[in-house]
Amino acid sequence: MGPARNVVLLGATGSIGESTLRVIRKHQDRLKLIGISAHQQGEKLCQIANEFGVKNVHLGHEQDIREDLPAETNFSTGSDALNELAALEEADLVVVAVVGAAGLAPTLAALEAGKDVVLANKESLVVGGQLVMETARRTGAKILPADSEHNGVFQCLHGQPEKSLDSIILTASGGPFRDFSLEQLSSVTPEQALKHPNWSMGPKITVDSASMANKGLELIEAHWLFGLPAERLKVVIHPPSLVHAIVQFKDGCTLAQMSPPSMTFALQNALLFPDRMEGVEQGLDFRQPLELSFSPPSPDKYPCLKLAQDCLAKGGTAPLVFNAANEVAVAAFLRNQIGFTEISDIIENTLNTADFPHASSLENLLTFDQEIRLQASAFLQKLA
Ligand code: NDP
Ligand code: MG
């Protein structure tokens, strides 16, 4: 057993942040928390800093929480300081559990500094996949996937020759509206969308799961992580969320990864990789009857998935446009400004009117991302 790894956790106050803290609490001899960030939940951030004795603490909003922190804390605010925290010299592992495209810059900062990244934030790969993967390749930093499906694929591929891979199938629960008619879907509320049948997650990804935009983002994420083209990346509906990923090899054999629907399994796998130690929660109990059904998703019911697949096939900045429009639309839905089915309308309209300039640097990607958000917001104003 080597020395404890120094961990920086960006987005410590969120749902993935909480699951990561559960793993760190259980394995304090292996993982030492040395840096944390939040966007605006100062009080919760302070509690975490005090519980784990965290030295480096960052809050996005300008509010001053220093007085509640231990005297020797190195406290910072502002986006430049977040990137500095991601590149902290003493860090071995950086967990990116920030939500949305805001995860791109710190992910790049960590990789640029040669830090291994436990990546929960899928939007960073959707917006800047090429740049992220090139940066990791150049510096030799590892990306350890923490999104459950991608972590499942990562587990199945470990030790397999690269050329043996045929295709990847990501499972989707189908969300809370799996059995709703198209008409029923038009009047669902944010409260209904936020009740996911299997997973407990932050609000944005919970809405994305209901619309299946999440699975679309995950196909793009898988493309970058595992290097397969759109036609070899598939989605299947699997309501119980016990099988997270299925990998098919050229010889016709299939491997699948299973665990209960809780993020501690994937996070622990990524944080302790390649070691396997006792988990935070019990694994599956095969003495109980388990339902393992799989069916193809209906494209009519999940237009966001279809739009994301088109963007993956188109490449370039199309996935960035999809993501930015989706972030704007989901925020508006959560504010009760638009209906659920209008999320895909906003994405589709934004895709139809956007030009797709070549953008490869972080600065160009972020500038274009802002432009698309303005376009999506303008369309939103017309609808609302
Ligand atoms: P949450 O909304 O629960 O948490 C988001 C975290 O990011 C919070 O700590 C929040 O701070 C911080 N944050 C929010 N906005 C910003 C910003 N602009 N800049 C910096 N930090 C910010 O999200 P989740 O934990 O659910 O998801 C995090 C990421 O992980 C997402 O990309 C999601 O897609 C991915 N993921 C999540 C899964 C899950 O089970 N939840 C599963 C697989 C992937 P504050 O609390 O102060 O607002
Ligand atoms: Mg997932």
Side-chain angles (χ1 to χ4, degrees):
M1 193 174 89
R5 289 180 205 175
N6 286 336
V7 179
V8 167
L9 172 55
L10 307 181
T13 47
S15 164
I16 289 285
E18 279 176 20
S19 296
T20 305
L21 293 175
R22 290 178 72 188
V23 177
I24 295 176
R25 238 180 241 118
K26 170 113 190 163
H27 297 288
Q28 303 220 13
D29 53 333
R30 305 291 305 262
L31 302 166
K32 176 155 177 42
L33 194 59
I34 62 161
I36 50 174
S37 83
H39 193 47
Q40 51 191 6
Q41 293 201 70
E43 221 177 292
K44 196 166 173 185
L45 189 70
C46 267
Q47 282 164 10
I48 300 167
N50 283 300
E51 180 192 340
F52 289 86
V54 184
K55 182 94 199 302
N56 302 282
V57 176
H58 178 276
L59 188 63
H61 277 227
E62 289 290 321
Q63 106 214 49
D64 194 347
I65 58 161
R66 262 165 288 195
E67 60 220 63
D68 298 325
L69 291 167
E72 64 280 14
T73 307
N74 175 16
F75 176 74
S76 63
T77 57
S79 54
D80 289 347
L82 181 66
N83 297 336
E84 282 165 26
L85 180 60
L88 193 70
E89 191 170 351
E90 306 88 282
D92 300 309
L93 263 186
V94 178
V95 183
V96 184
V98 165
V99 61
L104 177 60
T107 300
L108 283 169
L111 293 171
E112 191 64 56
K115 313 290 175 190
D116 290 347
V117 169
V118 169
L119 189 61
N121 176 277
K122 59 196 83 189
E123 295 90 344
S124 51
L125 281 173
V126 173
V127 174
Q130 183 139 8
L131 182 58
V132 169
M133 297 312 290
E134 274 172 12
T135 306
R137 259 193 297 274
R138 177 164 48 76
T139 65
K142 283 202 275 294
I143 298 177
L144 299 149
D147 201 348
S148 55
E149 297 75 6
H150 305 73
N151 182 265
V153 173
F154 179 72
Q155 292 189 46
C156 292
L157 290 180
H158 188 59
Q160 304 289 343
E162 214 172 293
K163 283 192 181 137
S164 63
L165 175 61
D166 178 64
S167 55
I168 287 174
I169 302 161
L170 306 177
T171 60
S173 70
F177 310 135
R178 193 178 59 232
D179 302 319
F180 279 39
S181 67
L182 285 174
E183 201 191 331
Q184 281 173 307
L185 277 181
S186 61
S187 60
V188 299
T189 63
E191 290 69 34
Q192 285 172 292
L194 289 175
K195 282 203 190 90
H196 195 282
N198 306 339
W199 298 91
S200 159
M201 310 179 284
K204 191 254 175 185
I205 184 177
T206 308
V207 174
D208 283 351
S209 299
S211 70
M212 285 265 256
N214 182 51
K215 217 44 60 178
L217 296 172
E218 289 185 353
L219 285 172
I220 301 166
E221 182 186 12
H223 163 72
W224 289 112
L225 287 172
F226 307 113
L228 291 191
E231 60 278 13
R232 287 163 64 196
L233 294 165
K234 293 160 196 168
V235 172
V236 71
I237 302 274
H238 168 57
S241 303
L242 299 175
V243 174
H244 305 297
I246 302 167
V247 170
Q248 295 199 301
F249 293 94
K250 296 223 165 99
D251 62 3
C253 292
T254 299
L255 289 182
Q257 188 271 330
M258 298 176 73
S259 44
S262 165
M263 288 305 295
T264 62
F265 296 95
L267 284 163
Q268 175 163 322
N269 181 272
L271 283 160
L272 297 183
F273 180 82
D275 295 341
R276 290 192 186 265
M277 305 179 76
E278 191 182 333
V280 174
E281 299 168 89
Q282 290 290 315
L284 292 174
D285 179 357
F286 284 89
R287 291 167 303 184
Q288 306 296 324
L290 293 180
E291 184 214 349
L292 289 183
S293 56
F294 302 95
S295 59
S298 138
D300 294 347
K301 197 141 170 201
Y302 299 111
C304 290
L305 175 61
K306 173 78 177 63
L307 290 168
Q309 284 172 313
D310 293 346
C311 289
L312 171 57
K314 189 173 161 93
T317 44
L320 179 155
V321 175
F322 176 89
N323 181 71
N326 182 53
E327 285 194 34
V328 169
V330 170
F333 170 67
L334 286 171
R335 289 193 303 267
N336 273 309
Q337 219 179 328
I338 57 164
F340 182 73
T341 47
E342 285 166 342
I343 295 174
S344 60
D345 293 343
I346 289 174
I347 301 172
E348 189 168 10
N349 191 276
T350 309
L351 282 165
N352 286 342
T353 52
D355 48 358
F356 299 91
H358 174 75
S360 54
S361 68
L362 175 63
E363 198 192 346
N364 289 349
L365 288 166
L366 295 182
T367 304
F368 185 46
D369 183 74
Q370 284 309 317
E371 278 169 25
I372 294 299
R373 280 166 203 261
L374 289 176
Q375 285 179 32
S377 302
F379 184 62
L380 180 88
Q381 298 311 325
K382 281 190 219 151
L383 273 183

